[in-house]
Amino acid sequence: MMLLKRYLRSELNTLLDNNIRFRVIGRIDELSPDIQSELAMGVERTSKNTGMLFNIALNYGGRAEIVDAVRKAIASGIDPADLDERRFGDLLYTAGQPDPDLLIRTSGEMRVSNFLLWQIAYAEIWVTDTLWPDFRCRHLFEAILAYQKRDRRYGGIKPAPVAVSAK
């Protein structure tokens, strides 16, 4: 955690200079008070930035996030009949953020590893054997190029072409 604090302090000006907003997802309240304070300071200092959004997941698990959202719904007295996918999404750690379009999975792993389980429902998944520490811009460009070639259907089916016979 000391490394995290040092990194936050050393990179804060980079975030500010590049108009990047910093957010944290996960059960932050379970982290030590000094780490919570450091994270809150970074979030607050970048809160007015309007460019890219940089999320960092700490003490995070997708299942825990869903459980926390259900607890929020119950605690706020939401009528079960009024709970739909949009409202549920507003209870997640990533409320107000668009769902990811692309999930890049390093290390050749063919699983999502309890990461953003709700949010990646329609994400395209790109897997590389490259280990995370070795992941570079060229790998990102490969992923984006592969993504651009995909036919996004968001769970729908593509109608079959109608065969026309000549008589």
Side-chain angles (χ1 to χ4, degrees):
M1 288 293 147
M2 288 304 297
L3 181 60
L4 174 64
K5 284 172 65 171
R6 189 173 11 171
Y7 182 78
L8 286 170
R9 290 176 186 168
S10 70
E11 295 301 321
L12 183 59
N13 285 332
T14 302
L15 297 175
L16 293 167
D17 292 344
N18 290 287
N19 195 29
I20 298 171
R21 191 172 45 149
F22 174 67
R23 294 217 14 217
V24 184
I25 61 173
R27 291 183 171 169
I28 304 154
D29 57 320
E30 295 177 358
L31 300 174
S32 66
D34 62 318
I35 297 297
Q36 289 182 49
S37 175
E38 200 75 32
L39 293 168
M41 186 268 305
V43 169
E44 191 278 321
R45 295 266 320 271
T46 64
S47 66
K48 302 275 191 284
N49 291 351
T50 58
M52 186 184 301
L53 174 61
F54 169 54
N55 281 319
I56 185 170
L58 295 171
N59 198 26
Y60 174 85
R63 288 180 173 184
E65 179 179 20
I66 292 169
V67 168
D68 288 349
V70 170
R71 288 177 177 161
K72 272 192 211 175
I74 292 168
S76 63
I78 295 174
D79 185 323
D82 294 334
L83 190 59
D84 58 14
E85 289 181 20
R86 183 204 53 79
R87 193 149 185 203
F88 188 79
D90 290 342
L91 299 168
L92 296 170
Y93 302 149
T94 56
Q97 300 177 34
D99 290 340
D101 291 311
L102 176 63
L103 172 67
I104 298 173
R105 190 62 172 106
T106 58
S107 309
E109 296 291 344
M110 299 299 286
R111 56 187 164 79
V112 294
S113 299
N114 197 24
F115 183 69
L116 298 176
L117 296 176
W118 179 273
Q119 297 89 332
I120 63 169
Y122 294 109
E124 297 292 321
I125 300 173
W126 186 78
V127 179
T128 178
D129 287 331
T130 304
L131 302 175
W132 172 245
D134 301 322
F135 193 87
R136 299 290 180 261
C137 282
R138 66 183 169 84
H139 299 105
L140 178 60
F141 291 138
E142 278 181 58
I144 292 170
L145 183 61
Y147 169 80
Q148 290 173 332
K149 293 178 181 177
R150 306 243 179 128
D151 178 23
R152 311 267 337 259
R153 295 185 309 273
Y154 300 96
I157 55 173
K158 195 176 210 175
V162 177
V164 178
S165 62
K167 290 188 180 187

